[in-house]
Structures are given as structure tokens and as C-alpha cells.
Amino acid sequence: MIEFWVIVTGLLVGMTCGIAGVFLILRKMSMIADAISHTVLFGIVMAYILTQTLNGFWMLVGAAFAGILTAYLVQLLHSSGIQEDAAIGVVFTSLFAAGVLLITLFAGNVHLDVEHVLMGEIAFVPWNQWSLLGISMPKAVWMLLFVLMINVTFLVLFFKEMKLTTFDPVYAASIGLPIVFLHYAFMTSISFTTVAAFDSVGAILVVAMLIGPAATSYLMSKTIKQMFVYSMLFGALAAIIGYYLAKLWDISIAGMMATTVGLLFMIVFIGQKIIERRRKFLVHKFEIE
């Protein structure tokens, strides 16, 4: 049963992050995911300081606040003439450092240490159970299911609007689409996704799950809908393969899952290059003949 819940948690992380990461790739915002995955620490610590509880709901609220604050500050600095990568770097390091300092000052005696938040440990997930309507499942599973529903709902409600603002923001603004609202709503969903994955892969390794499956699916997808499907499949596949390889070699499960994400990307990337070279060779051969 422990192995079952670990695999289920990994699958949910892969699928949830896979959905969230597609528009990050399409909007060329992959580095903002790295920033949010670190700055949510600030929001989590602030939520604990204000509520004096580690309740998952308030953790999500704090993470959402930190994610929105990060996106707002990056956008503010960028619109003031600072390069986007520099703006991300300044906000990322400042808020993350503030979170570390707040942990040291106000949360040193609770289970909110930096190592736990950053690295996570999926093997411990089954031991922290929540019961709802007579159903008992690990807390991480409940949170990931909740966030997965949020991401799917957001996608269903705003798919056309997100697609239009991604590929033609000028036209989207001209017809009155709420670009700012969609941007911050999307950043909020990324924040939820990040904090929900803390118990399984940690804040650092969740970046691999957010970016890797979506980047891999980008290489082989012809439509955005295909990209969503492939991204979820690659995320789930990385979780399963990573778990069994980690079990075989007795190493970090989360680390192996993230490594598998990179390996899948390289396999698809190299495969695409081989197919492309083969196609060019055949075209050139027929032209000569």
C-alpha cells in the first residue's frame, strides 16, 4: 500500500505539473516557474507566522500570494525598463532569502525547514493521512487532486482566451480580453501546483516536472491539445520510471523522477534530430536521382 501511494503521488505530480507547464513553455516563461518555486517559501512562512498552523489550505493561500507577488514584481520591474531575466533574478533571490530569514527567526522549532521545503521526500507521503467523507488518503494526494481540478477547470474555462493572449496579445487586448487577469490567474495556478508538490518532489525538483514534460511534448506535438496530452503522459511516465529506477538503485525517488524527465527529453530530442536528418538525406537522394 505504501508503494501504491508513492506511485499515485508521483503520477499526480507529473500530470498536474504537465498541464501547468504547457503555457509556461508557449509563453516563454519557464524561468518564472523557477522563481515561483523558490519564492513560495516566503508565502508559506508568512502563512505560518500569521496563522500558527501548518494547515494545507493556508499553505496554498500563502503560496498563491507569493506567486502573485512574484509575478507582479517581475512585471513591474520589466515594465520599468529592466530586462525580464534580471527582474526575475532580483525578485527570486530577494523573496527566497526573506523566506529563509523568516524561517530562522520565527519557525525554527517547527517542521518547516529549508531542506524539507526544497527537496521534499515522496517516501514519507503515505504516513501523513487526511480523512474526508470517510475516505482516507495521504495529504499530498488530496492537495494534488485539488490542484489538478483547479488546473483542469482553468484550462476548460479559459483555453481559447489563454491561447489567444499567448500567440497574439495585441489582438487579444484590442478585443477586450482581460490579459492582466488571465496572467495573474495563471501565475496563481502555478503557485498552487508548486506548493502542492512540496511533499513529493520539493520546490527545486518541481521545476523539472513543470518544464521538462511540456518541453518534451513541444518537440512532437502539432496542436496545443496534443501538447497537453503528451505533457501529462511524459510527466506520468517519468514518475513511474523514476520510482522503479530509484527503488532498484536505492537512491532519491524525487531526484530520480526529475532525472528521468531530463532523460526522456534527451531521448525525444535526439530521436527528432535523427528523423530530421534521415528525412533530409532521403529528400537529397531523390533530388540527385
Side-chain angles (χ1 to χ4, degrees), residues 107-187:
N109 296 323
V110 298
H111 189 53
L112 195 63
D113 57 280
V114 177
E115 182 179 356
H116 171 72
V117 172
L118 295 182
M119 302 304 296
E121 183 47 74
I122 196 170
F124 295 157
V125 164
W127 304 108
N128 191 356
Q129 298 276 329
W130 275 1
S131 294
L132 181 64
L133 300 177
I135 302 174
S136 181
M137 294 192 300
K139 181 186 75 171
V141 173
W142 283 114
M143 292 180 66
L144 286 165
L145 283 172
F146 173 67
V147 174
L148 180 60
M149 288 190 294
I150 290 178
N151 289 347
V152 171
T153 302
F154 179 78
L155 181 64
V156 170
L157 293 178
F158 300 110
F159 177 74
K160 293 182 179 179
E161 289 81 359
M162 285 293 294
K163 184 169 65 173
L164 188 56
T165 56
T166 297
F167 294 106
D168 197 345
V170 176
Y171 176 70
S174 68
I175 63 175
L177 288 182
I179 295 179
V180 175
F181 167 77
L182 290 172
H183 175 73
Y184 289 119
F186 179 56
M187 289 298 101

Side-chain angles (χ1 to χ4, degrees), residues 26-46:
L26 294 177
R27 288 173 168 240
K28 300 179 181 179
M29 297 175 63
S30 57
M31 289 309 299
I32 198 71
D34 187 25
I36 290 178
S37 70
H38 286 74
T39 57
V40 291
L41 176 64
F42 173 77
I44 289 174
V45 178
M46 287 300 299

Side-chain angles (χ1 to χ4, degrees), residues 198-279:
F198 276 174
D199 285 338
S200 50
V201 297
I204 292 178
L205 297 179
V206 73
V207 179
M209 285 293 193
L210 276 171
I211 304 304
T216 307
S217 66
Y218 181 80
L219 296 175
M220 55 186 300
S221 299
K222 295 182 179 180
T223 66
I224 298 181
K225 292 181 179 180
Q226 279 186 3
M227 193 172 171
F228 276 104
V229 174
Y230 287 146
S231 184
M232 293 176 65
L233 288 176
F234 279 122
L237 187 62
I240 295 174
I241 295 175
Y243 172 77
Y244 284 107
L245 288 178
K247 184 179 179 181
L248 177 65
W249 293 330
D250 193 22
I251 55 179
S252 169
I253 299 174
M256 194 64 242
M257 287 181 177
T259 302
T260 305
V261 170
L263 291 175
L264 289 175
F265 174 82
M266 291 305 300
I267 291 171
V268 174
F269 178 76
I270 294 172
Q272 291 284 92
K273 291 298 181 182
I274 293 174
I275 294 174
E276 184 179 334
R277 285 178 178 271
R278 179 64 176 173
R279 185 183 296 116

